[in-house]
Amino acid sequence: FGQVFARRVPPQIEFAIKAYNHSLQINPDDAETHKLMGDIWLFLRQQPLQSITAYRQSLNLNPNDAETHFRLGQCYEKTGQLEPALREYQEALNLVPKQPVQPALHFASTLGQLAMRMNQLPIAEHAFVQVLIMNRADHQVRFLLSQVYERENKLEDASRECSYVIGPL
């Protein structure tokens, strides 16, 4: 019922929270319900700090859930906790299945952008290369990778990545 209330237009957030809390009273060890409660705070209430507790509880019960690691990383990033965000994004990327490719692409790209922002250039480079292994035609990531190479003073590599972007144009 929590999902039904949360997905209504407009969302009925209080009813969703009550439904999830009732579910957790019945089964406090349900990792998915804890994650859904975190989703309420992160996406519907826009209060990422409150989401952290729910996502961490979910991960205590199911530590191999890539999506929960990614969402916890989003919470940390939105609350300015960049080092924990970076670790959670890395864990999400390590755990996400490589097929279908879309979640892995999104996780790797997000990790690369945060690492670049934090000047963690080797992590950014690795993440962007992972995206390009999965999707060679991602020109936005090639451009970001060229910026990383430039900042690392790998100018030939930066030029090569730029030529992939500019060539088709």
Side-chain angles (χ1 to χ4, degrees):
F1 286 117
Q3 288 183 18
V4 170
F5 291 125
R7 292 181 180 170
R8 285 196 173 157
V9 179
Q12 294 180 321
I13 297 170
E14 293 308 317
F15 287 117
I17 290 172
K18 285 180 185 178
Y20 289 145
N21 281 332
H22 182 71
S23 178
L24 288 172
Q25 287 173 349
I26 295 168
N27 182 6
D29 295 331
D30 182 19
E32 186 66 20
T33 302
H34 286 285
K35 179 168 73 171
L36 292 168
M37 186 68 92
D39 290 349
I40 292 285
W41 291 103
L42 178 61
F43 299 113
L44 297 180
R45 286 267 171 96
Q46 310 259 329
Q47 295 177 340
L49 193 58
Q50 283 73 15
S51 296
I52 291 172
T53 302
Y55 289 138
R56 290 182 75 183
Q57 181 61 32
S58 179
L59 288 171
N60 286 339
L61 298 166
N62 182 10
N64 295 322
D65 187 335
E67 188 176 53
T68 304
H69 280 285
F70 185 78
R71 290 181 187 166
L72 181 56
Q74 288 177 302
C75 293
Y76 284 139
E77 185 176 5
K78 288 175 188 270
T79 58
Q81 301 175 67
L82 300 184
E83 288 294 332
L86 189 70
R87 285 192 302 273
E88 292 301 328
Y89 287 154
Q90 287 174 309
E91 188 63 22
L93 184 57
N94 288 336
L95 292 171
V96 71
K98 301 308 176 211
Q99 294 296 327
V101 96
Q102 285 311 110
L105 287 171
H106 180 64
F107 290 3
S109 179
T110 302
L111 169 62
Q113 290 176 53
L114 177 61
M116 190 173 165
R117 192 171 113 204
M118 294 174 64
N119 207 32
Q120 300 276 341
L121 300 179
I123 295 171
E125 178 182 342
H126 180 74
F128 291 145
V129 167
Q130 292 301 309
V131 171
L132 293 174
I133 288 170
M134 293 180 272
N135 180 11
R136 297 173 51 88
D138 192 326
H139 295 304
Q140 179 183 359
V141 169
R142 283 201 186 275
F143 177 68
L144 292 170
L145 181 58
S146 75
Q147 292 177 328
V148 169
Y149 285 147
E150 182 180 12
R151 288 169 58 184
E152 291 176 319
N153 205 28
K154 297 178 179 178
L155 300 181
E156 284 184 31
D157 292 330
S159 177
R160 181 191 66 237
E161 295 304 323
C162 284
S163 71
Y164 285 129
V165 175
I166 295 172
L169 298 177

